[in-house]
Amino acid sequence: MFKQYLKPLFIAGCSLLMLAGCGNQTATTTTTTTAPSNPLEGKWEQIDFRSSLERGMGYLDYRSSEEIPRRLIYSDAFKDVTPTLTITGDSAVYDVTATTSVAVGNFYDYAKANNLTSVNGTKEEYIKNQYNVLKQSLEKWNNQKGYLTYGFNDEKNEVQETLTGITINEGTGTMEFKYAPNFLSLATFSVEKFVKPVSYKYSIEDGILTLTLEQQKILDNNQKVTAYFTMRFKKVAE
């Protein structure tokens, strides 16, 4: 009789010991740490492009009386263009897509209203002609071993410009451009020719990436002036 009760008690005692042992075990958790993400990484859209474009066109040397109103008309017509800066690691790509129809059409209207002799044909013909002239001057860069390429949409009179060769130097807080950023060869965001390298300083504040450039330029009368360029970007939500 005693043996009959001993076996169940022994099993129950072992079970209690096993439960107690499990209760005393310390649970271990594995924590993984990830390196802080690069705040520059990702796609950025340029904001207030009109201001940058006006500054770039403002430093051009317009010798023709017709070119001065063209500068104002073009900067207004392209004000809603949104170039992008896509940053991956320590390199970046600057892209811009724009149609020339509105800008060229607005200049045509101005020229006709002011009896400028350089504008001929209908408005549609003039728009298409100016697009073709621009396309011919730009597409030659596709055959060069450089950092600038172009794509075209003839139906929309649209040009896509892609600029590579941009290196980010976090140590100096600069972005090094092998070619200076420009806009369809209508304006360069540098006082030098766009094929010359430039170094922009960069900073991020309140979610805005700001690129700045300060350069010296000597005018025809040997007067030295300081040129300033600013490009501002807002990050695109992922």
Side-chain angles (χ1 to χ4, degrees), residues 122-133:
T122 66
K123 185 175 182 177
E124 290 72 21
E125 290 172 340
Y126 183 75
I127 290 173
K128 180 56 71 175
N129 175 265
Q130 291 298 299
Y131 166 77
N132 288 333
V133 170

Side-chain angles (χ1 to χ4, degrees), residues 23 36 68 72 88 98 105 110 140 144 146 155 157 165 200 212-213 229:
I68 296 175
L72 300 176
T88 305
Y110 170 86
K140 66 182 180 181
Q144 305 292 327
E155 183 178 349
N157 297 327
Y200 269 81
T212 57
L213 174 66
F229 297 90

Side-chain angles (χ1 to χ4, degrees), residues 55-56 59-61 177-183 185-200 213-219 224-225 227-229:
R55 182 62 62 93
Y59 288 121
L60 296 177
D61 188 12
F177 290 77
K178 298 291 187 182
Y179 284 178
N182 79 97
F183 178 65
S185 287
L186 300 176
T188 300
F189 307 127
S190 166
V191 296
E192 303 290 346
K193 293 182 179 180
F194 77 86
V195 293
K196 292 189 176 182
V198 293
S199 178
Y200 269 81
L213 174 66
E214 179 179 329
Q215 291 176 307
Q216 298 291 324
K217 181 178 182 179
I218 300 178
L219 304 178
K224 182 183 292 186
V225 298
Y228 298 93
F229 297 90

Side-chain angles (χ1 to χ4, degrees), residues 89-136:
D90 62 353
S91 63
V93 177
Y94 183 68
D95 282 298
V96 57
T97 300
T99 175
T100 61
S101 298
V102 175
V104 176
N106 289 352
F107 180 77
Y108 179 92
D109 293 338
Y110 170 86
K112 284 298 184 181
N114 291 272
N115 299 315
L116 301 184
T117 58
S118 61
V119 174
N120 299 307
T122 66
K123 185 175 182 177
E124 290 72 21
E125 290 172 340
Y126 183 75
I127 290 173
K128 180 56 71 175
N129 175 265
Q130 291 298 299
Y131 166 77
N132 288 333
V133 170
L134 179 63
K135 176 182 177 181
Q136 185 176 8

